[in-house]
Amino acid sequence: MGDLAAPLVDDAPLIHDSTGSLHAKPTPTSSTLGGSFQHACGKVRDLGTMDGAVLLAFAASIGNMLQGWDNASIAGAMFYIKEEFNLDSMPMVEGCIMAMALFGATVITTLSGLLSDKFGRWAMLLTSAVLSLVSALLVIFWSQHVYMLLFARLIQGFSIGLAVTLVPLYIAETAPSDIRGKLSTFPQLSGSAGMFLSYCMVFWMSMLPNVSWRFMLGIQLIPSVIYSLLVIFYLPETPSWLVSQGRVDEAKKVLQRLRKEEDVSGEMASLLEGTRVGHQAPSMEEYLISTNEKSLNDKLVPAEEIIKLYGLPEEVHCVAYPLKRQNTEDRVIGHSTGHGASFYDPIVSITGSFHESVIEDAHNIFNEVKEHGPVERDEENQDDPKEHDLEHPRDDVDDVGENDQLIQSKPNINDLLAGGKSGYIGGGWKLAWKTSSEYCLDRHMDGGMERLYLHEEGVPISENVSLIDVPASGDLIKATALINKSVFHKDQTGNNNIDLRSHEKGFKSTKWNDLLEPGVKRALVLGVGIQILQQFAGINGILYYTPQILEQAGVGVLLSKFGINPSSVSILMSAITTLLMLPFICIAMWLMDRKGRRRLLIVTIPILVVSLIVLVTVNIVKLSAELHALLSTMSVGIYFCVFVMGFGPIPNIFCSEIFPNKVRAICLGLCSLTFWICDIIVTYTLPVLLRCIGLAGVFGIYAIVCVLAFVFVCFKMPETKGVPIEVMAELFAFDASHPSQQKEDVYPQKEYL
């Protein structure tokens, strides 16, 4: 079993890996383009070599397109289903046809997490595609009776439930952390695009002399077949699930395909470290780090306090000095509770500090590798290199976060990859290891290694620091480390590197007790809470009210002058509403990894509140018909556009980013179950509320919920932009193990938007 960093190409110079074996080293390629034809061919090749994770995210999100397609097609087909089966006298059956897919999605969601953990994400995506195909066939050929139609709708609900839960999970586990937000917005874009295309198709069919509702619903057979073929022949299993099953070599090949790189050892190490839910909370420390031990000795640092950091093959080894001052954990937690701001969840400030630039002139240690070379050590202090290599994972150690890279105050991915790129895992984080204090006390102890997620200047710096705390030259940087037990242990025949090896067996299966661990519980509360607030923020009520708004604005009268029947007018107005969403979802994709999830919500939710207040006002105050229609139409349009930029995609994105690997599928399934239950409650209580308190009262309730959502996001929701998923899980575990009320306030509060 070879080194996970070993390249797979054969037409390159040979190099020795950490085991002494020869492997081909990838070499840069160049191409020259001459003439317009060659230039065009180059553009085509560029499309073909697009980031593998982007293409996979696009292909996987077709599952959400099927959901949007179904929502639109059943809305249009119901006009004709009612006529054929005479459902005016059977309102209960009519309601069941509309609700059966919702019921099926809710039922399957309760099992989706367990099923995807047992059989894999790929198998469940294929199941979703096949179920959609089967439902379309049932509608086309065997729906002569209404009860067979109900069964077909139930099957379609199963397909939708699996897609809504597993597509965000699949994208989160295959996307690089730096563009994870953009790729995770694909399902929202795909679902809305599917609705628009379906509405257009249904509108065209409604204009035909003989309308067939079976064809309206059954046309979904075509995208279902395409999706099934893509899943079978293009989509791989996610590396996270493969690693959790002990199939490390397969996971490595998938990562190499996704990243289009041969060296994926950093992400592989992170995935291996992330296979355990942390029974033990991580600690947080600060270090001065250098590739040159003389830099620390020049500052009179005692040799016995210098710590050696170990990395992956091909990396330059570093030394570190732990800063001796007030405990970093106390300072970080205190930072989030200062000056009466005890309502802030500490993790909000912790994650906010990692996105902050603290020292403008800090130098990236890995950019100076060529200048300083390897670590210089005195002969008398030189330890046996055999003591500093890791061999393979232990099966009794818990979960971890992701790698961390020492970065400049304004991280630049190109700079980060200039040196030591193996351990970089995205978002300015880098993964390293050190010998634990227990191992130092007992050199014969098995294991004794600790994993460090490193981030430069990750927490606020106190004012009363000694001179040793401030780097005086470019070869020293200050970094914050999340520290926990590693799944790797010492290799007595190594060469100072972490040596990644394949698992001999898979890891333990998920237990329900894992959900009770403090970090998981805290993340689950946030995930469930944001899903509840999203559903009660009013999107279903606005969708219900939109046709009436557009009718009041005269759109229906205008379209009827072109000979369009009332049913077709309603369908076309819905298509126009959906089309309005698409450009703003694209804007959200562009902003998601630039501004962050939390900031987008903080900016967009107040606009939702204002739009709802205007709708309340126009339904209370007597206005002219023209002014009423104008204000209502503008408010609904603004609400839609702003909702799909923030509260539409972000809850699912956020929930896919905050759970550790071992419980991620189950927790995401619970969040999706909350989504469907709240969807049912909102949908079926809306007519009752309209009769009891009217439109103004309903929109007033939605406005209050949006205000509560704004408070929830400000005080409780951390920023996940660019943070590797494993690191995010570690931060939740750290936060849960250090309750803010027990910490002393030592820093002024700063709000991170």
Side-chain angles (χ1 to χ4, degrees):
M1 293 177 288
D3 169 24
L4 288 175
L8 299 180
V9 296
D10 298 323
D11 55 347
L14 295 178
I15 60 172
H16 288 276
D17 68 2
S18 59
T19 62
S21 302
L22 285 175
H23 293 282
K25 180 177 181 179
T27 57
T29 59
S30 62
S31 59
T32 58
L33 300 179
S36 58
F37 178 75
Q38 289 83 355
H39 181 72
C41 291
K43 292 295 184 181
V44 173
R45 283 195 296 271
D46 289 341
L47 292 175
T49 58
M50 188 184 299
D51 193 311
V54 176
L55 295 176
L56 255 64
F58 175 78
S61 65
I62 295 178
N64 291 79
M65 190 194 77
L66 295 178
Q67 176 206 7
W69 189 291
D70 178 77
N71 291 342
S73 60
I74 188 62
M78 277 305 299
F79 292 108
Y80 309 99
I81 294 174
K82 289 171 62 176
E83 294 180 5
E84 178 169 333
F85 294 113
N86 192 24
L87 297 183
D88 288 333
S89 59
M90 295 184 291
M92 183 66 69
V93 176
E94 178 184 353
C96 286
I97 293 175
M98 294 296 295
M100 192 57 68
L102 194 59
F103 174 75
T106 305
V107 170
I108 199 65
T109 300
T110 60
L111 303 173
S112 59
L114 292 173
L115 292 174
S116 64
D117 274 342
K118 183 174 181 59
F119 300 106
R121 288 45 162 157
W122 179 87
M124 291 298 100
L125 288 181
L126 180 60
T127 302
S128 174
V130 171
L131 287 175
S132 179
L133 190 151
V134 170
S135 174
L137 290 174
L138 289 175
V139 168
I140 294 174
F141 298 109
W142 293 286
S143 61
Q144 284 73 27
H145 198 281
V146 68
Y147 295 108
M148 182 57 71
L149 176 61
L150 287 172
F151 179 69
R153 297 297 302 155
L154 179 66
I155 298 298
Q156 185 63 33
F158 291 159
S159 172
I160 291 172
L162 289 175
V164 169
T165 304
L166 295 177
V167 169
L169 174 63
Y170 184 89
I171 294 175
E173 291 187 343
T174 55
S177 59
D178 300 296
I179 59 171
R180 190 176 60 233
K182 177 176 69 175
L183 300 189
S184 296
T185 314
F186 273 1
Q188 180 82 12
L189 178 64
S190 181
S192 297
M195 288 181 66
F196 174 70
L197 293 175
S198 182
Y199 275 129
C200 292
M201 183 271 301
V202 171
F203 171 74
W204 170 72
M205 295 182 65
S206 68
M207 300 296 293
L208 299 176
N210 297 316
V211 179
S212 171
W213 62 265
R214 290 179 177 83
F215 189 62
M216 282 185 179
L217 296 178
I219 196 66
Q220 187 167 315
L221 179 68
I222 297 174
S224 298
V225 170
I226 296 174
Y227 188 43
S228 299
L229 293 176
L230 282 173
V231 173
I232 293 173
F233 296 108
Y234 184 69
L235 296 185
E237 184 55 83
T238 67
S240 295
W241 187 82
L242 291 172
V243 167
S244 72
Q245 302 300 305
R247 296 157 62 179
V248 177
D249 292 330
E250 294 179 53
K252 174 192 171 185
K253 293 178 181 178
V254 172
L255 267 181
Q256 288 173 327
R257 170 187 165 188
L258 293 177
R259 306 295 181 255
K260 296 188 180 297
E261 295 179 359
E262 302 303 330
D263 182 9
V264 293
S265 54
E267 285 195 72
M268 285 303 304
S270 178
L271 291 175
L272 290 168
E273 291 281 11
T275 53
R276 290 292 180 270
V277 176
H279 297 153
Q280 177 176 328
S283 60
M284 186 178 288
E285 296 181 7
E286 285 184 306
Y287 294 101
L288 285 178
I289 301 179
S290 175
T291 57
N292 191 336
E293 187 173 345
K294 289 186 63 178
S295 300
L296 295 177
N297 289 333
D298 291 344
K299 289 180 172 288
L300 304 180
V301 175
E304 61 273 12
E305 295 187 19
I306 295 178
I307 299 172
K308 290 187 292 184
L309 300 182
Y310 308 106
L312 296 165
E314 305 295 332
E315 288 200 332
V316 172
H317 307 294
C318 301
V319 290
Y321 169 70
L323 297 181
K324 305 295 184 181
R325 62 182 183 215
Q326 180 185 359
N327 187 273
T328 301
E329 300 171 0
D330 294 345
R331 296 191 304 101
V332 173
I333 301 299
H335 174 74
S336 66
T337 61
H339 294 274
S342 58
F343 291 106
Y344 275 86
D345 194 311
I347 196 172
V348 174
S349 291
I350 294 174
T351 55
S353 66
F354 287 125
H355 292 96
E356 194 179 54
S357 298
V358 181
I359 299 181
E360 292 296 331
D361 59 347
H363 289 268
N364 190 314
I365 193 71
F366 299 101
N367 289 335
E368 302 183 1
V369 169
K370 295 182 180 179
E371 298 179 15
H372 298 283
V375 177
E376 299 177 9
R377 300 188 59 86
D378 298 333
E379 288 299 326
E380 68 247 28
N381 295 327
Q382 179 69 42
D383 292 336
D384 186 354
K386 295 181 180 180
E387 295 180 357
H388 308 297
D389 202 348
L390 303 184
E391 183 181 29
H392 52 75
R394 296 195 308 240
D395 290 333
D396 58 341
V397 188
D398 307 322
D399 106 280
V400 305
E402 284 206 338
N403 318 357
D404 169 81
Q405 171 128 8
L406 304 177
I407 63 169
Q408 297 176 349
S409 17
K410 293 184 178 180
N412 185 309
I413 187 67
N414 296 322
D415 295 336
L416 289 169
L417 295 182
K421 74 173 185 178
S422 302
Y424 177 68
I425 55 172
W429 290 88
K430 188 172 180 65
L431 181 62
W433 292 264
K434 72 180 181 72
T435 306
S436 69
S437 56
E438 290 82 1
Y439 183 86
C440 293
L441 296 175
D442 181 7
R443 291 301 180 112
H444 300 289
M445 176 183 176
D446 180 40
M449 298 303 295
E450 291 180 338
R451 171 224 64 232
L452 291 80
Y453 295 119
L454 297 165
H455 197 286
E456 184 176 350
E457 294 296 348
V459 297
I461 306 302
S462 61
E463 297 177 1
N464 55 341
V465 296
S466 63
L467 293 177
I468 186 64
D469 294 336
V470 181
S473 61
D475 61 349
L476 286 176
I477 65 169
K478 194 180 299 176
T480 301
L482 279 172
I483 306 171
N484 211 334
K485 290 182 179 180
S486 173
V487 298
F488 298 100
H489 64 75
K490 304 283 283 183
D491 179 3
Q492 297 302 318
T493 61
N495 63 348
N496 288 331
N497 289 118
I498 305 303
D499 186 18
L500 305 179
R501 302 296 181 89
S502 300
H503 290 280
E504 297 298 333
K505 58 182 180 179
F507 294 105
K508 299 176 183 178
S509 60
T510 305
K511 296 180 180 178
W512 288 105
N513 288 340
D514 295 331
L515 301 180
L516 302 179
E517 294 176 2
V520 176
K521 281 196 301 183
R522 188 159 231 168
L524 192 56
V525 168
L526 285 177
V528 169
I530 197 69
Q531 293 285 358
I532 292 173
L533 291 169
Q534 182 210 41
Q535 284 302 300
F536 285 92
I539 185 62
N540 288 321
I542 297 294
L543 285 170
Y544 181 90
Y545 185 52
T546 299
Q548 180 181 340
I549 291 289
L550 295 178
E551 186 68 31
Q552 291 175 348
V555 177
V557 175
L558 177 64
L559 294 175
S560 64
K561 293 181 179 180
F562 293 92
I564 303 176
N565 60 64
S567 299
S568 299
V569 167
S570 177
I571 295 170
L572 184 57
M573 287 192 297
S574 297
I576 294 172
T577 303
T578 307
L579 178 62
L580 189 65
M581 299 180 184
L582 296 179
F584 290 91
I585 298 176
C586 294
I587 295 174
M589 293 179 65
W590 183 74
L591 292 173
M592 199 65 67
D593 290 310
R594 287 173 170 81
K595 301 302 180 182
R597 295 65 152 147
R598 185 170 180 270
R599 178 172 292 183
L600 274 179
L601 288 179
I602 288 176
V603 171
T604 57
I605 290 178
I607 302 176
L608 299 181
V609 174
V610 173
S611 300
L612 290 168
I613 290 175
V614 172
L615 287 173
V616 171
T617 303
V618 299
N619 282 280
I620 294 178
V621 180
K622 291 185 178 180
L623 303 172
S624 64
E626 294 79 7
L627 183 59
H628 184 284
L630 175 63
L631 291 176
S632 298
T633 303
M634 289 180 59
S635 298
V636 168
I638 292 173
Y639 183 96
F640 271 131
C641 298
V642 173
F643 187 90
V644 298
M645 288 179 60
F647 230 160
I650 288 178
N652 282 340
I653 296 174
F654 178 75
C655 290
S656 68
E657 296 176 319
I658 60 177
F659 301 111
N661 186 27
K662 191 175 181 181
V663 296
R664 188 175 301 134
I666 291 180
C667 289
L668 195 55
L670 292 175
C671 293
S672 297
L673 180 61
T674 303
F675 168 88
W676 290 115
I677 292 175
C678 292
D679 190 11
I680 292 173
I681 293 173
V682 172
T683 301
Y684 290 97
T685 58
L686 180 60
V688 178
L689 290 174
L690 287 174
R691 286 195 300 268
C692 295
I693 60 178
L695 273 174
V698 170
F699 291 143
I701 292 175
Y702 292 158
I704 293 173
V705 173
C706 286
V707 172
L708 295 176
F710 180 80
V711 175
F712 180 86
V713 171
C714 283
F715 291 102
K716 298 296 181 183
M717 180 178 171
E719 180 57 74
T720 59
K721 178 187 72 172
V723 182
I725 296 178
E726 286 77 12
V727 174
M728 201 71 226
E730 283 287 81
L731 290 173
F732 271 104
F734 171 79
D735 180 39
S737 64
H738 298 82
S740 59
Q741 62 269 24
Q742 297 178 4
K743 299 299 178 181
E744 179 183 1
D745 174 22
V746 295
Y747 282 93
Q749 172 64 28
K750 293 171 65 178
E751 181 180 359
Y752 297 99
L753 294 182

